[in-house]
Amino acid sequence: MPASGEHHPAFEEYCECIYELREDDVDVIQARIADRLQVSRPAVSEMIRRLEAEQLIEVIGGKISLTEGGIVLAEQVVRRHRLAERFLTDMLGLAWADAHHEAGKWEHIISDAVEAAIDRVLGSPTTCPHGNPIPGSRYLAPASTPLCDLLVGQRFTVNRIPEELEFTPGLLDFLEASSIQPGHTGVVTAASPDGTITVEIEGHHVGIGAFASARILVMA
Ligand SMILES: [Zn+2]
């Protein structure tokens, strides 16, 4: 493990990133990691070499996957990130985007004892505020479908805003302000051929672009 003191120990950051790309069904190649972490391609290839040397990842034909040790590390960081997000929104009242940003620091410094205490105080939540499963919790995925697959007039309950959208600049602010939040129920009022979906949800009329509507998961 790298020396701490920094808020973003690189090994944790990369293992988390690889884990979340897989979770979103994205093929993990160096370019995707560079996009998600907003670092240069040479910086990514250097880190990939170090992660391989630490036996945290394997690279086969350009595709990157976590080893067993890499999964253990990733699950710990992702668990702490998602618990921290829950704590920051539910207990401290932070906005979604701020909680996501802050949790990116907390995930590296929370100890086992603090992690257990946060989990206890929150009553062992199974997801982050955006509906993404907390590793190690008893999360059971409900049958869900992308919002863009619904027909006009269909009712739905928001289930999950995948991590990829959490990283899309401005999107968490937009979704929170529009009430597109797990547990909220709405109805599709229009769908255009370009993938834009218009919904009515909790009294808001909202247009959701193709990129987000293909990724937001709902229960119909
Ligand atoms: Zn989240």
Side-chain angles (χ1 to χ4, degrees):
M1 302 283 272
S4 203
E6 246 302 336
H7 280 313
H8 290 275
F11 289 178
E12 294 183 3
E13 203 67 39
Y14 274 73
C15 287
E16 176 187 38
C17 176
I18 293 163
Y19 179 94
E20 289 177 344
L21 287 169
R22 275 306 313 145
E23 201 177 44
D24 291 344
D25 264 333
V26 176
D27 273 339
V28 185
I29 56 170
Q30 292 197 13
R32 296 291 88 72
I33 298 176
D35 292 345
R36 178 70 66 95
L37 294 179
Q38 298 198 292
V39 291
S40 71
R41 293 289 291 277
V44 173
S45 39
E46 167 62 22
M47 269 306 294
I48 291 300
R49 262 200 306 278
R50 291 176 58 193
L51 289 161
E52 256 187 307
E54 294 291 325
Q55 298 182 338
L56 291 168
I57 62 165
E58 269 170 2
V59 186
I60 297 165
K63 286 197 187 171
I64 299 158
S65 57
L66 295 167
T67 61
E68 253 172 70
I71 290 170
V72 169
L73 179 59
E75 285 185 340
Q76 178 188 291
V77 182
V78 172
R79 176 175 165 78
R80 288 175 179 174
H81 180 98
R82 293 180 183 171
L83 277 172
E85 280 188 329
R86 266 263 78 107
F87 185 81
L88 291 161
T89 56
D90 296 7
M91 306 300 278
L92 304 186
L94 258 62
W96 267 10
D98 296 336
H100 177 71
H101 178 73
E102 292 290 332
K105 303 182 219 168
W106 284 38
E107 67 192 21
H108 303 294
I109 55 167
I110 291 174
S111 65
D112 289 349
V114 171
E115 177 191 315
I118 291 176
D119 184 60
R120 193 164 54 241
V121 157
L122 295 174
S124 297
T126 57
T127 70
C128 81
H130 317 103
N132 293 307
I134 295 174
S137 73
R138 300 225 168 85
Y139 179 77
L140 289 174
S144 57
T145 171
L147 179 60
C148 67
D149 285 356
L150 300 196
L151 304 171
V152 174
Q154 241 181 312
R155 298 193 65 80
F156 62 88
T157 302
V158 178
N159 175 48
R160 182 168 174 182
I161 315 291
E163 205 68 42
E164 188 175 7
L165 297 182
E166 295 199 32
F167 278 89
T168 305
L171 201 73
L172 280 183
D173 283 330
F174 165 73
L175 294 173
E176 186 175 30
S178 313
S179 255
I180 312 284
Q181 294 173 281
H184 287 185
T185 296
V187 61
V188 177
T189 53
S192 75
D194 72 357
T196 302
I197 297 276
T198 308
V199 303
E200 186 186 342
I201 186 163
E202 311 277 322
H204 298 259
H205 291 268
V206 196
I208 301 162
F211 181 80
S213 75
R215 288 168 176 78
I216 293 170
L217 296 177
V218 301
M219 293 168 286

